[in-house]
Amino acid sequence: MKFKKTLLASMIGTAITAATLSPAAMAETTLRMAYDADPVSMDIHEQLSGGILQLSHMSFDPLVRWTKDFEFEPRLATEWEQVDDTTMRMTVRDGVTFHSGNPFTAEDVVWTVERLKRSPDFKAIFEPVDSVTAVDEHTVEFHTNEPFPLLLNLATYIFPMDSQFYSGETEDGDAKDEIVKNGNSFASTHISGTGPYVVTDRQQGVRVNFERFDDYWDSESPGNVDNIVLTPISENATRIAALLSGDVDFIAPVPPNDLDRVRNDDGVELVTMSGTRIILFHMDQERVDAFKDERVRQAFVYAINQEGIADRLMKGFATPAAQASPAGYVGHLPELEPRYDLEKAKQLMEEAGYADGFEISMMAPNNRYVNDAKIAQAVAAMLAKINVTVDLKTLPKAQYWGEFDDRSADMMMIGWHSDTEDSANFHEYLSACPDAATGAGQYNAGNYCNPELDALVTQANLEIDLAKRAEMLQQVEQALYDEAAYIPLHWQDLAWASAANFDIEPVLNVMNFPYLGDLVITPDDQ
Amino acid sequence: MIAFLIKRLFHALLVMFVISLIAFAIQDNLGDPVQQLVGQSVPESERDALRDELGLNDPFITQYLRFAGNALHFDFGYSYVFNQPTTEVILRHLPATLELVAATTVLIILLSVPIGVYSAIKPRAWLSRFFMGVSIIGISIPVFLTAIVLIQLFAIGVSWTPFPTDTGWGQWLNDLVSTNGGMPAYGRGDPVHVLGTWYTNFASIKGLSYLILPAVSLASIMLPLFIRLIRAEMLEVLQSDYIKFARAKGLSPQRIYFLHALKNTMLPVITVGGVQIGTLVAYTILTETVFQWPGVGLMFLNAIERSDIPLIVTYLVIVGLIFTITNTLVDLIYGLVNPTVKLTGKPA
């Protein structure tokens, strides 16, 4: 009976809208968007990358998602509660259906987490989760091995998949749920989630077509875009041209060199924000003995003018950094400022006995981060002022990471974004004592090692009291700053641009996954 | 004839073999494909497992023999990025490139022959000098610059106001030097399905509009070359005895220029043309990248960026095949145009 009422109400509603709105407004709305790449697969567990996560937010819904100021917003999970130190109970939303028509239940969450624990890209992140059980149709319990404070951070990665749809075998006898990196799996070409958009057509490398899901559960979402066409345009100049000529409505990223051009154009809107990806240089202590001396490392930090790089080289498109954690992260310490002071740097070099400097090698990618090669050149030039001669080599990203893994130079550049949006992640990958067996310090190309900090981070990761935990991580950040473990440069800004009739600002966030389900288009301009 | 074709078939196989060997030998310098397949935080142990699964840890010879063995069955492996057989991926992207090359070839033929002939007949006319001047500029501007300028002028539009806007004539002149834009800036829109993997842009005006800017950019490379080649050949032919005789005989100039002279002019043009079509395929990489034209050129560049080695190797082998085929066709056509040329190399 209740169903009938809603049906009647919606029919009347439709009739009224149809009667009052002009025919133009009734026409289907389409968002044509151009990114630098399209998702490599439709299997959202195949690769942990920006493109895949964007697809996840369009065709699936996470249990919870980040708001603009790093709060958790309930999506498919409506409530959560820490039952004891190692158990969290979540209530999942009622009345949600998948694109296939199957109903969404707690079993789908269990199935999805189990699949995540099998995915090569996600299993490390989901390591702390021991098991997930469905208590009843709409309640799940997460059991962790040890107290685990980041479960909600992980829940932003849990996009429940349609377990019925992905179960069974294909005609060829392959399991439908298998995760294949190189080959054709069922999940890489078939998709069924709960999200606002259904994939209707996909030509890899050419375009993906989406259509608004008729039975989308979130009836309160203001989103009114009926169709989305996603085109990859890898060439920066072409992406800008396509927006300015009106061929597409929404582009990301906007290359920094074209920001003014976009800003000055009346027909388009530009949105930028400070990002969370830290760009930094390691100083390899295994390769260069001088780097074992804290004073030398500090001298290097003092010699580099982060603000100059951000202002002039990046044209303001970066936030100068003196630590890894950006503002908003628990470990962030607002009082840590870049400490450019050339005199101090020279003095420190003299104290350490290197007044005449020495020679080092440096490597950086040339097509991975914004202005990466130019930044490396600037840093090399700044180091020359403390008599350090730099032999710089820049490489395309395809070749760079192999060199990085081999630690082929004394100073190497890396950009890092914390997958968990948490401060501990920076230390675990960038500055923890390298250990091949546990994978700790996997990207610590400085071979910096302070076991006390490692212990502190391990302890913080068991601390359920978030205030206490934040304090510990801030301690770590302070110590890394004092000991000059590496040279932080800046957090790269993010930029998007759209045609003026699309209101993109409310759906954007620093995670760089626009919540397109909530995107509003002003119908008059269509 | 048959013997010639069989010989060419062996040539093709040899070319493909050598190319595949070279492509395979340099693959270590193309970067680590595993890096592109996994997220940044994936541990080394997982990477090694994947590397093993892909057979990347085997010695070079083992890897090459495995590739060559499969290639004999027309199995060139799976693309790492597309998760599909590389031949399928290339077959899907090929029609877009072929259409672009076809449109460019038509443009080149339609423009270069009349312009070349005209500037040979009237070498001193100001129009001839103008064409020669423009062709020098055309040949010296890199194709990506031409492409970006074309996009700015005809897709985005430029409004210049060097003349006073408050007068009628000033407004008119301003409009004359400004452009409206409106041409598609990228891609090929919604091409119409023909058969198999072939979608065409030739079916509608709208489809053709997507082709114009890329085809003009691509033609800007080859057009000056052909104009100059045709002009030079024509000038030479016009000096030869049989033309003088034809003139003395009182044949109409049209008949002399376009029947007798042009025929002999076209011989070297065909040879050069055949080789240049191969080069054209190479230039599509640049044009397709700027216009985001979804053909094999763009696909190849993306494959390099992502270290998709199987796709790179297959592309190179297929391009080698295309070169051999076009050269064979050129030789055949040459025989038809000039009966004194015998393919088998024996005197007539």
Side-chain angles (χ1 to χ4, degrees), chain A residues 204-422:
Chain A
Q204 199 180 350
V206 180
R207 64 156 174 251
V208 191
N209 291 355
F210 297 89
E211 197 182 278
R212 185 94 185 173
F213 180 35
D214 288 335
D215 297 325
Y216 189 47
W217 59 268
D218 190 358
S219 50
E220 280 162 33
S221 162
N224 66 350
V225 175
D226 299 315
N227 299 295
I228 295 181
V229 182
L230 166 66
T231 318
I233 302 185
S234 51
E235 194 64 25
N236 282 338
T238 315
R239 198 161 57 247
I240 290 284
L243 177 75
L244 295 181
S245 68
D247 280 359
V248 297
D249 308 307
F250 175 48
I251 62 166
V254 182
N257 293 336
D258 288 306
L259 287 175
D260 285 336
R261 212 170 144 204
V262 175
R263 208 174 274 132
N264 295 336
D265 196 301
D266 295 335
V268 295
E269 187 195 354
L270 175 74
V271 181
T272 60
M273 38 179 104
S274 180
T276 55
R277 185 187 291 281
I278 181 77
I279 307 289
L280 57 84
F281 268 108
H282 278 115
M283 295 167 279
D284 198 335
Q285 306 183 15
E286 301 242 303
R287 291 175 57 99
V288 179
D289 271 337
F291 285 150
K292 291 203 171 100
D293 190 330
E294 192 180 302
R295 288 168 299 184
V296 174
R297 297 201 302 269
Q298 274 171 352
F300 273 52
V301 172
Y302 278 107
I304 286 159
N305 182 357
Q306 280 98 335
E307 280 168 9
I309 294 176
D311 279 356
R312 257 161 282 156
L313 225 163
M314 302 291 286
K315 295 182 180 142
F317 192 64
T319 312
Q323 58 189 322
S325 299
Y329 277 33
V330 288
H332 180 76
L333 281 167
E335 61 269 24
L336 297 188
E337 301 251 320
R339 29 184 171 170
Y340 172 56
D341 184 345
L342 199 52
E343 285 314 309
K344 182 94 191 261
K346 283 179 182 161
Q347 191 194 327
L348 281 164
M349 285 293 273
E350 207 177 305
E351 277 173 30
Y354 292 104
D356 297 333
F358 48 90
E359 208 171 297
I360 56 162
S361 59
M362 178 189 279
M363 272 191 196
N366 59 21
N367 60 354
R368 177 62 187 87
Y369 310 113
V370 177
N371 288 335
D372 39 15
K374 282 189 201 156
I375 294 169
Q377 282 160 12
V379 168
M382 288 167 183
L383 290 177
K385 295 199 176 141
I386 54 167
N387 298 323
V388 173
T389 316
V390 178
D391 173 22
L392 172 66
K393 191 174 172 191
T394 62
L395 302 158
K397 62 183 173 202
Q399 280 107 63
Y400 180 70
W401 295 114
E403 301 288 345
F404 191 93
D405 287 344
D406 295 342
R407 310 284 187 260
S408 305
D410 305 334
M411 283 181 74
M412 303 199 91
M413 182 194 274
I414 188 170
W416 194 262
H417 164 251
S418 165
D419 284 334
T420 46
E421 310 293 341
D422 177 67

Side-chain angles (χ1 to χ4, degrees), chain B residues 39-268:
Chain B
Q40 212 173 10
S41 54
V42 171
E44 196 51 43
S45 53
E46 285 295 333
R47 289 167 197 252
D48 258 346
L50 185 60
R51 218 167 269 139
D52 245 358
E53 200 183 304
L54 297 178
L56 293 171
N57 285 336
D58 298 337
F60 173 78
I61 294 293
T62 320
Q63 286 193 46
Y64 184 75
L65 287 181
R66 187 170 50 216
F67 166 80
N70 289 336
L72 287 179
H73 304 105
F74 298 103
D75 171 10
F76 288 89
Y78 267 66
S79 153
Y80 295 152
V81 174
F82 288 92
N83 288 341
Q84 282 170 350
T86 53
T87 39
E88 251 176 52
V89 175
I90 289 178
L91 218 58
R92 206 172 57 234
H93 287 89
L94 199 57
T97 299
L98 291 182
E99 289 207 341
L100 179 58
V101 170
T104 307
T105 312
V106 169
L107 258 182
I108 291 177
I109 293 174
L110 285 185
L111 291 176
S112 67
V113 174
I115 294 177
V117 169
Y118 175 81
S119 47
I121 298 171
K122 297 212 162 110
R124 284 175 209 289
W126 68 268
L127 196 59
S128 305
R129 287 166 197 256
F130 170 75
F131 281 135
M132 287 306 111
V134 169
S135 72
I136 280 283
I137 297 171
I139 212 162
S140 42
I141 296 181
V143 64
F144 59 86
L145 190 62
T146 317
I148 286 174
V149 169
L150 285 176
I151 291 178
Q152 181 67 50
L153 287 178
F154 299 110
I156 301 176
V158 175
S159 77
W160 272 314
T161 48
F163 303 103
T165 48
D166 45 4
T167 56
W169 61 269
Q171 198 61 266
W172 185 80
L173 282 172
N174 281 335
D175 285 346
L176 200 68
V177 293
S178 300
T179 52
N180 273 330
M183 297 284 289
Y186 79 99
R188 57 193 302 224
D190 270 313
V192 180
H193 185 233
V194 184
L195 73 137
T197 60
W198 184 19
Y199 288 79
T200 186
N201 273 70
F202 286 105
S204 65
I205 301 286
K206 176 115 181 80
L208 281 172
S209 72
Y210 282 89
L211 257 175
I212 294 173
L213 293 187
V216 169
S217 317
L218 194 52
S220 72
I221 296 291
M222 298 292 166
L223 193 54
L225 181 78
F226 278 95
I227 292 178
R228 296 187 151 256
L229 186 70
I230 292 174
R231 174 177 174 270
E233 288 299 325
M234 190 80 173
L235 279 174
E236 204 179 300
V237 170
L238 289 180
Q239 300 302 318
S240 55
D241 290 340
Y242 78 95
I243 298 292
K244 286 180 187 154
F245 278 122
R247 283 205 174 113
K249 197 180 164 194
L251 291 182
S252 75
Q254 272 73 23
R255 205 175 153 77
I256 297 173
Y257 294 140
F258 291 101
L259 191 76
H260 300 292
L262 190 60
K263 216 171 169 185
N264 281 321
T265 303
M266 291 317 278
L267 280 179

